[in-house]
Amino acid sequence: MKVLYFAWLRTHIGHGEDRIDLPAGINDVRGLVEHLRAKGPGYARALTDLATVRVAVNHEYVGFDHELKPGDEVAFFPPVTGG
Amino acid sequence: MKVLYFAWLRTHIGHGEDRIDLPAGINDVRGLVEHLRAKGPGYARALTDLATVRVAVNHEYVGFDHELKPGDEVAFFPPVTGG
Amino acid sequence: MIRVQREDFDPGAEIAALTAGRHDIGGVVSFVGLVRDRVEGGRVGAMTLEHYPGMTEKQLAEIDAEANRRWPLAASLIVHRYGRLEPGDRIVLVVTASPHRDAAFDACRFLIDWLKTKAPFWKLEETAAGGQWVEARDSDDRAARQWESAAGKPDAAE
Amino acid sequence: MIRVQREDFDPGAEIAALTAGRHDIGGVVSFVGLVRDRVEGGRVGAMTLEHYPGMTEKQLAEIDAEANRRWPLAASLIVHRYGRLEPGDRIVLVVTASPHRDAAFDACRFLIDWLKTKAPFWKLEETAAGGQWVEARDSDDRAARQWESAAGKPDAAE
């Protein structure tokens, strides 16, 4: 599974992309977030306040309850500021 | 006094401009309209239905009760259709 | 700024000129009006746009000043053509620039709405039956009236 | 139509290309977003616009399709830049064309409002203190929310 980070989430984590095999028992975005938080202080900091984090799976916005499938592309990023 | 006609008012009257000395007793736009109607059938036709006629004096929209002064430039035209 | 001219204009060049060297503008809204080849119920060929020289400039300048009173604009421009125009030709350009886009959108729409009922232009369409003066549209009157309140916005668009 | 690109664009050329040869378009509305040199309380120099390739195109295409569902548009275009931009530079272009101006104005405003909250772009401003990620603005959220009803218009603007 490809996991992407953008803007200040990427800055905190230190890189923009991880390849992750979804551990057994994790089947939604919330589970993935908890798994990532345990990977280190940068991850924990980036994913502390989920009110400021948006999630997309396969290029579509989803909620934290969204179910994940192997091969999904998951992205975490702050509210957008383009335009 | 310069009196101008535009669009279908000009077409009906047959020309776009008259030079008129304001007759004694005429002191507002309504009086001028009555004076013009008597000048011929083209004028009468152009100025029959005042609901479809707009008036400007010295380049500003006015009502038919607007008082006229010698030297005023008066224009009669239909509702505008630019833009 | 306002201009009344027979010649065509280049919307991109006008927008660029209006914003050149300015770093305080966040949004530029433009409206370009074009000649359509069909109007309610019929096809038309070319048209001739008559206007009232002198009054046209005065009315456009007043409308432009009113927009600048109502909204915090960094710049604004109205260009209106007259003379013979064919389907697809540009008739009118309105450009508004502001630090924030809301003001630019509202002011641009106000300018075209008011211009349509106040600027002394008249369209003579060339139809199969000969020249025909276009009648003013009720929808244009309604569009203009919604801006009659003194405040900037006509309704709850905030 | 949508495009995501590093290069600058020419609003006039885009408007002309979108309307070329069309005789059914009465009004074209465009919005150009520019980099300002000051934002709430401070001056900024250049900025870098990061985006999410793939998702950006998908989201812009969906927004564009939604505008075309809501309004009878003859044509529409979104061009959004990414990369390093300096004050005064163009960031985004939205163009909408329609037989009547109301639809073009509403659709253009809808597109920029929705784009601002849905298209995955993030601004990193270069300030005296170093790079700083721009925070999303509540006013942009409010602007987008007013279009959430299924109907075309957010309010009584008719």
Side-chain angles (χ1 to χ4, degrees):
Chain A
M1 167 171 292
K2 196 153 96 175
V3 185
L4 304 175
Y5 317 105
F6 291 96
W8 55 254
L9 278 91
R10 177 175 51 72
T11 314
H12 288 337
I13 290 169
H15 54 267
E17 181 173 339
D18 280 319
R19 297 278 175 167
I20 286 176
D21 289 324
L22 212 59
I26 292 185
N27 52 18
D28 64 5
V29 173
R30 200 176 304 277
L32 175 61
V33 166
E34 276 157 30
H35 175 69
L36 290 171
R37 275 176 181 155
K39 281 170 71 80
Y43 287 91
R45 192 172 163 209
L47 297 166
T48 298
D49 179 8
L50 296 189
T52 64
V53 173
R54 301 287 174 269
V55 191
V57 172
N58 302 329
H59 298 161
E60 292 288 355
Y61 288 98
V62 300
F64 286 92
D65 295 331
H66 183 85
E67 208 164 295
L68 295 174
K69 301 184 306 294
D72 278 347
E73 177 173 309
V74 185
F76 295 98
F77 48 78
V80 305
T81 56
Chain B
M1 167 173 287
K2 195 152 98 176
V3 184
L4 304 174
Y5 317 105
F6 292 96
W8 54 256
L9 278 92
R10 178 175 51 72
T11 313
H12 288 338
I13 289 169
H15 54 267
E17 182 173 337
D18 280 318
R19 297 278 174 167
I20 285 177
D21 289 323
L22 213 58
I26 292 185
N27 51 18
D28 65 3
V29 173
R30 201 176 303 277
L32 175 61
V33 167
E34 276 157 29
H35 175 69
L36 291 170
R37 276 177 179 154
K39 281 169 71 80
Y43 288 91
R45 190 170 165 212
L47 297 166
T48 296
D49 179 8
L50 296 188
T52 64
V53 174
R54 300 290 174 266
V55 191
V57 172
N58 302 329
H59 298 161
E60 292 288 354
Y61 287 98
V62 299
F64 286 92
D65 294 333
H66 183 85
E67 208 164 296
L68 295 174
K69 299 183 308 293
D72 278 348
E73 177 173 309
V74 184
F76 295 99
F77 48 79
V80 305
T81 56
Chain C
M1 256 188 325
I2 67 117
R3 277 186 355 242
V4 182
Q5 62 189 43
R6 188 180 290 274
E7 309 76 49
D8 193 14
F9 52 80
D10 175 346
E14 302 291 351
I15 293 171
L18 208 66
T19 58
R22 301 286 299 260
H23 295 168
D24 58 338
I25 294 173
V28 184
V29 174
S30 78
F31 174 81
V32 179
L34 302 166
V35 180
R36 283 189 300 152
D37 64 359
R38 72 205 81 171
V39 285
E40 289 68 33
R43 295 187 77 79
V44 294
M47 65 162 68
T48 299
L49 210 48
E50 177 175 330
H51 79 119
Y52 180 0
M55 181 167 175
T56 306
E57 289 81 355
K58 188 170 188 179
Q59 290 295 319
L60 291 180
E62 284 181 13
I63 294 166
D64 188 39
E66 180 64 24
N68 280 272
R69 271 191 296 272
R70 294 190 184 201
W71 291 280
L73 302 181
S76 61
L77 172 69
I78 304 172
V79 182
H80 205 302
R81 295 176 69 189
Y82 61 90
R84 190 167 184 278
L85 298 170
E86 302 199 332
D89 282 353
R90 286 176 276 263
I91 309 175
V92 62
L93 171 70
V94 177
V95 187
T96 52
S98 180
H100 297 288
R101 70 184 184 280
D102 279 350
F105 267 109
D106 287 335
C108 188
R109 200 160 182 170
F110 164 82
L111 283 168
I112 186 66
D113 282 351
W114 265 33
L115 178 164
K116 284 222 168 223
T117 61
K118 292 181 194 291
F121 288 93
W122 302 275
K123 290 186 179 121
L124 179 65
E125 287 177 347
E126 299 173 15
T127 65
Q132 186 169 324
W133 292 101
V134 174
E135 281 194 43
R137 298 194 316 172
D138 288 344
S139 61
D140 285 332
D141 285 338
R142 283 197 302 276
R145 267 201 302 275
Q146 66 175 339
W147 298 102
E148 272 173 9
S149 69
K153 297 193 174 193
D155 50 40
E158 180 63 54
Chain D
M1 255 186 329
I2 67 118
R3 273 182 7 237
V4 182
Q5 62 188 43
R6 189 181 289 275
E7 309 75 49
D8 193 13
F9 52 80
D10 175 348
E14 302 291 352
I15 293 171
L18 208 65
T19 58
R22 301 288 296 261
H23 293 168
D24 57 338
I25 294 173
V28 183
V29 175
S30 78
F31 174 81
V32 180
L34 302 166
V35 180
R36 283 190 299 152
D37 64 359
R38 74 204 79 172
V39 285
E40 289 67 33
R43 296 187 77 79
V44 293
M47 66 162 66
T48 299
L49 210 48
E50 177 174 330
H51 80 119
Y52 180 1
M55 180 168 176
T56 306
E57 289 80 355
K58 187 169 189 182
Q59 290 295 319
L60 291 181
E62 285 182 12
I63 294 167
D64 188 39
E66 179 66 23
N68 281 271
R69 271 192 296 273
R70 293 190 184 202
W71 291 279
L73 302 181
S76 61
L77 172 69
I78 304 172
V79 182
H80 205 303
R81 296 177 69 189
Y82 62 89
R84 190 167 185 278
L85 298 171
E86 302 199 332
D89 281 355
R90 286 176 277 261
I91 308 173
V92 61
L93 171 70
V94 177
V95 188
T96 52
S98 181
H100 296 288
R101 71 183 184 281
D102 278 351
F105 267 109
D106 286 336
C108 188
R109 200 160 182 169
F110 164 83
L111 283 168
I112 186 67
D113 283 351
W114 265 33
L115 179 163
K116 284 223 168 222
T117 62
K118 292 182 193 291
F121 288 93
W122 302 275
K123 290 185 179 120
L124 179 64
E125 287 177 347
E126 300 174 12
T127 64
Q132 187 169 324
W133 291 101
V134 174
E135 282 194 42
R137 297 194 315 171
D138 288 343
S139 62
D140 284 333
D141 284 339
R142 283 198 302 275
R145 266 201 304 273
Q146 65 175 340
W147 298 102
E148 272 173 10
S149 69
K153 296 192 172 195
D155 50 40
E158 180 65 53

